[in-house]
Amino acid sequence: MKIFCGRANPTTGSMEWLEEGEDYDYHQEIARYAWKNSLNVKYYQGIRAAVSRVKERGEKAIVLDIGTGTGLLSMMAASAGADFCYAIEVFKPMANAAVKIVEKNGFSDKIKVINKHSTEVTVGPDGDMQCRANILVTELFDTELIGEGALPSYEHAHKYLVQEGCEAVPHRATVYAQLVESRRMWSWKKLFPVHVEAEDGEKIIIPPSEMENCPGVPSVCDIQLNQMPSSDFSTLSDVVTVFSVDFSKPVQSASTYYRVQLEPVKSGKAQIVLSWWDIDMDPLGMINCTMAPYWVKPTSALQWRDHWMQCVYFLPREEPVVQGEKLYLTACRDEYSVWYNLGRTKQHKAGVCVESPVCRCRAHLLWNRPRLGELNDQNRTQQYVRALRKVLKTDSVCLCISDGSLLPMLAQYLGAKQVFTLENSGVSCSVMEKFLKANHLEDQIKIVEARPELLKPSHLEDKKISVLVGEPFFTTSLLPWHNLYFWYARTAVSTHLASNVTVLPQSAALHMMIVEFQDSLNFRESKEAEPHPLWEYPCRSLSAPQEVLTFDFTEAVPQHSLSTEGSVKLLRKGKSHGAVLWMEYHLAADISVSTGLIQMSNEKGNCEWNPHCKQAVYFFSSVIESEILSDPTAVTYAINFDTKTGEIAMDFKLL
């Protein structure tokens, strides 16, 4: 079996697919279960109760476990007294692992692992299953509940694999919603007008009308709502129940809708529907697990979860609502996704849109939600405006290299004589064309659709570039240093640059800090840095931030690798879970933007991170807890930037 993993190539700015062998490290997949110890307890309680109910009826307990993964739920069932378990897992490496784990735990005579999709499983004397099961156990859910195909899997199982009136664990799922107003979350869907103070007065960059009226992309926005400060949103309604699914009865996966009436508890602008779900493991709802955020159940102990979070849904348009008025919230769904509409009348079925929202403006295809939030960050924009003012002259010929950036328009408004923007893709070209037209700049800014190495003098009207700018931002970047593609692009266009060219940003620096995560496992997931949005994952610094490597954009990429070694002193007691790495870009003298640490907010070392970017986390192979600041006192590091591949290799040791 061939496994392909997507990797960004920082030297080309494109996504490549690398083939991995069957022994590829699947720790991250297996780790899903490790994050959910409390949930596993609820599953075990539910399974044990289901087995007891079946036994009390004088029946054998035959369990069907769909999506068994490592075989954990099947082993729970076997240890709870089930007579036999059929554990279905379509992913071959995981199924192989489940067979070994089941054998090692002594359950081979009670559990049969079937390496198929559940819809391919057969029942009968010569089938995969000897008979239909009377207990159905699954963990097929995602943050949206149905995004992993739970509904069609349940629908098929009830038709062909389980008995009528079977026990199901979980027994029931219920989806909840709440209407809110939030400028922060709304900024993830639409672009706000950008105000620029130019010499000849205020200029405004406005989004094209297609973007203003676009429903956006259908994929759910799932985040850790428990890390969203209450000051960033305003609840406009009470929590309402949207729909429930009873998994012990036949399930329908066909597209449908659910409508609930609600009355705003305060007036405001309805922009967002927040949603989450809970599951009852048993028919009486005595064994419950909820994904509700902190303000819904403030008295209960919140269990941190990484696999299941909460959903942010964007309404098609902003709706002003008045306290006490009667509104109707409609949730539409297909087999895999949910979306919402808000109305003032109880529509007939014919008036309900059950088609999934699709981006028409293409901007939502170019810019993901964190990127839209970044473009809407007025403070960040002002840093670029300040830097551009310092470097632009009335005779400046400017070239921008970034994916779908607003910098070309900023440069034009701030007085550049001529502006070119180099766009790598048809999507970014299309979006930029719409923006230039909406702002009447199509005759003043020239879009060049070409890769940097293929740029010709004719593309630039035989002019030399005096100011080269970039944010830098590229859509294929995953880790912070992948945006160093700007350096490779700058090198590729060297022949088109004036001898005294100004490059903005002038340089970049890789920064690092040792941290303790509030919620972390003491085990290693991989031997590489991983991208994580740390604003959602609280941590405290155990060291001061430290600059470890610099990149000079005023010069071409060197042929030799860039390496550094050193140590970082630990300043606080705690568990050294790993190192966080991020980039800072030096735009001009005394003007920088950070993709990582914004500030350490108190003496305890609590960190505030850039909410628009993912930071890189390198988990240490072992976690050492220091109760006193004598052992360990420091972490040594060795970091190497391979200029041929654009990748960074790193190694850390706790002293």
Side-chain angles (χ1 to χ4, degrees):
M1 178 177 177
K2 293 183 179 180
I3 307 296
F4 292 91
C5 294
R7 297 286 178 93
N9 186 330
T11 67
T12 63
S14 37
M15 185 67 77
E16 297 177 352
W17 293 93
L18 302 181
E19 183 180 330
E20 304 283 359
E22 278 203 40
D23 59 347
Y24 179 67
D25 185 359
Y26 293 105
H27 282 118
Q28 191 161 344
E29 187 64 27
I30 295 171
R32 285 177 51 186
Y33 288 101
W35 286 111
K36 300 184 297 185
N37 289 331
S38 67
L39 180 65
N40 291 339
V41 171
K42 301 284 180 74
Y43 258 102
Y44 188 45
Q45 291 171 345
I47 290 170
R48 201 165 49 192
V51 170
S52 295
R53 290 193 297 273
V54 169
K55 295 278 191 180
E56 286 169 4
R57 297 197 294 262
E59 302 174 22
K60 282 189 173 183
I62 308 299
V63 176
L64 172 63
D65 175 9
I66 299 178
T68 194
T70 56
L72 180 62
L73 299 185
S74 287
M75 289 187 291
M76 285 182 183
S79 63
D83 294 280
F84 201 79
C85 304
Y86 295 101
I88 300 174
E89 177 54 54
V90 68
F91 190 41
K92 186 172 178 57
M94 190 63 75
N96 292 342
V99 170
K100 293 175 183 176
I101 293 169
V102 165
E103 183 180 353
K104 193 164 187 177
N105 284 276
F107 290 116
S108 293
D109 61 330
K110 287 280 190 83
I111 299 173
K112 178 184 179 182
V113 178
I114 302 170
N115 178 211
K116 285 185 176 182
H117 194 283
S118 64
T119 57
E120 299 171 344
V121 171
T122 56
V123 178
D126 299 321
D128 301 306
M129 298 170 60
Q130 290 293 297
C131 62
R132 289 188 177 223
N134 53 13
I135 300 176
L136 175 57
V137 178
T138 68
E139 195 280 84
L140 295 172
F141 315 116
D142 67 348
T143 296
E144 200 173 17
L145 185 69
I146 64 173
E148 290 188 5
L151 295 181
S153 295
Y154 272 111
E155 184 175 40
H156 178 271
H158 275 287
K159 284 181 179 176
Y160 302 106
L161 304 179
V162 298
Q163 297 174 16
E164 185 178 349
C166 73
E167 300 285 345
V169 182
H171 177 82
R172 177 192 308 110
T174 305
V175 175
Y176 303 91
Q178 189 171 29
L179 201 62
V180 305
E181 175 181 348
S182 172
R183 181 178 174 84
R184 177 179 175 184
M185 288 186 264
W186 195 235
S187 77
W188 301 340
K189 177 184 185 282
K190 65 174 292 180
L191 189 72
F192 304 143
V194 179
H195 296 262
V196 185
E197 287 295 334
E199 285 190 2
D200 54 346
E202 184 185 63
K203 301 291 181 72
I204 303 176
I205 298 174
I206 62 169
S209 58
E210 298 103 305
M211 188 178 182
E212 285 287 278
N213 301 317
C214 183
V217 289
S219 59
V220 67
C221 177
D222 55 342
I223 63 168
Q224 299 278 3
L225 270 181
N226 287 328
Q227 301 309 318
M228 181 74 69
S230 58
S231 57
D232 278 354
F233 64 95
S234 176
T235 56
L236 301 181
S237 78
D238 292 328
V239 177
V240 294
T241 299
V242 183
F243 65 91
S244 290
V245 183
D246 184 337
F247 297 121
S248 69
K249 297 176 181 177
V251 171
Q252 300 296 320
S253 66
S255 297
T256 188
Y257 71 95
Y258 313 89
R259 185 183 292 109
V260 293
Q261 184 180 322
L262 54 81
E263 291 183 5
V265 295
K266 66 192 297 188
S267 301
K269 291 179 279 191
Q271 300 166 326
I272 306 291
V273 175
L274 302 181
S275 181
W276 57 91
W277 49 265
D278 64 21
I279 46 178
D280 293 323
M281 294 296 180
D282 64 314
L284 297 178
M286 302 296 290
I287 309 167
N288 180 271
C289 187
T290 182
M291 307 302 135
Y294 65 88
W295 64 89
V296 176
K297 296 194 175 181
T299 56
S300 63
L302 286 168
Q303 177 63 41
W304 182 81
R305 309 186 191 288
D306 184 59
H307 183 51
W308 297 330
M309 295 180 277
Q310 295 83 34
C311 302
V312 175
Y313 294 99
F314 305 92
L315 290 172
R317 66 194 63 80
E318 189 176 81
E319 296 277 1
V321 298
V322 178
Q323 181 178 345
E325 75 172 319
K326 188 181 291 186
L327 297 174
Y328 295 93
L329 183 66
T330 304
C332 302
R333 71 150 180 83
D334 55 21
E335 288 184 342
Y336 299 99
S337 59
V338 181
W339 58 98
Y340 285 87
N341 288 291
L342 188 66
R344 286 176 167 77
T345 58
K346 192 170 184 179
Q347 294 171 301
H348 297 294
K349 184 172 182 179
V352 175
C353 175
V354 291
E355 287 187 9
S356 176
V358 176
C359 174
R360 297 187 295 264
C361 71
R362 307 192 82 186
H364 298 98
L365 306 179
L366 176 64
W367 298 324
N368 62 18
R369 287 150 185 155
R371 173 60 173 165
L372 276 166
E374 185 173 63
L375 292 172
N376 280 317
D377 186 336
Q378 195 66 25
N379 291 331
R380 179 180 180 275
T381 299
Q382 288 309 311
Q383 294 291 80
Y384 284 92
V385 169
R386 285 177 55 217
L388 285 168
R389 280 203 187 104
K390 284 179 177 284
V391 303
L392 288 176
K393 301 173 183 175
T394 54
D395 62 348
S396 292
V397 178
C398 186
L399 173 64
C400 177
I401 302 180
S402 273
D403 285 351
S405 176
L406 303 183
L407 288 185
M409 288 180 278
L410 293 179
Q412 178 65 38
Y413 283 157
L414 293 171
K417 180 181 180 182
Q418 188 156 13
V419 180
F420 299 92
T421 179
L422 195 63
E423 303 292 339
N424 263 341
S425 72
V427 174
S428 63
C429 281
S430 169
V431 172
M432 290 307 295
E433 284 171 0
K434 291 174 182 176
F435 265 84
L436 297 186
K437 186 175 181 180
N439 291 278
H440 309 292
L441 293 171
E442 62 266 47
D443 296 330
Q444 299 172 62
I445 298 174
K446 183 179 178 182
I447 299 171
V448 180
E449 184 178 359
R451 294 193 56 78
E453 63 272 17
L454 301 177
L455 190 65
K456 300 175 183 176
S458 58
H459 287 136
L460 304 174
E461 299 171 2
D462 295 316
K463 293 184 173 71
K464 291 289 185 181
I465 300 302
S466 58
V467 180
L468 178 67
V469 301
E471 296 189 44
F473 168 83
F474 301 97
T475 56
T476 54
S477 297
L478 299 175
L479 291 162
W481 48 87
H482 288 167
N483 282 320
L484 286 175
Y485 171 61
F486 175 76
W487 201 11
Y488 292 88
R490 175 254 181 270
T491 303
V493 302
S494 291
T495 57
H496 303 285
L497 307 180
S499 57
N500 61 342
V501 67
T502 298
V503 182
L504 185 160
Q506 303 170 348
S507 62
L510 180 67
H511 288 248
M512 179 193 76
M513 190 167 70
I514 310 302
V515 302
E516 174 187 52
F517 285 100
Q518 181 176 303
D519 303 282
S520 179
L521 286 180
N522 295 346
F523 97 106
R524 175 65 177 275
E525 288 195 21
S526 68
K527 295 181 180 179
E528 296 179 329
E530 305 166 4
H532 293 283
L534 290 189
W535 76 267
E536 296 185 57
Y537 300 95
C539 62
R540 57 191 287 265
S541 67
L542 300 186
S543 75
Q546 191 161 316
E547 182 180 297
V548 291
L549 211 55
T550 58
F551 312 91
D552 184 1
F553 296 156
T554 64
E555 302 291 337
V557 177
Q559 294 297 307
H560 58 85
S561 294
L562 304 178
S563 299
T564 183
E565 294 182 356
S567 66
V568 55
K569 185 179 179 182
L570 297 180
L571 304 175
R572 298 177 184 86
K573 296 183 291 183
K575 296 179 180 179
S576 300
H577 286 130
V580 176
L581 300 102
W582 67 93
M583 300 293 290
E584 288 194 7
Y585 295 101
H586 307 303
L587 306 183
D590 303 321
I591 303 176
S592 297
V593 292
S594 171
T595 68
L597 189 68
I598 302 298
Q599 66 177 20
M600 283 187 288
S601 56
N602 56 36
E603 291 182 2
K604 293 181 180 179
N606 293 337
C607 303
E608 183 180 338
W609 299 98
N610 185 322
H612 314 306
C613 305
K614 288 184 179 180
Q615 292 74 39
V617 181
Y618 187 98
F619 290 101
F620 296 153
S621 55
S622 61
V623 175
I624 296 185
E625 184 171 2
S626 54
E627 292 298 336
I628 57 173
L629 283 175
S630 60
D631 185 24
T633 58
V635 174
T636 64
Y637 60 84
I639 296 175
N640 179 72
F641 176 67
D642 186 337
T643 56
K644 298 290 192 297
T645 65
E647 289 294 345
I648 290 180
M650 57 194 80
D651 186 49
F652 296 90
K653 288 185 174 63
L654 294 162
L655 289 180

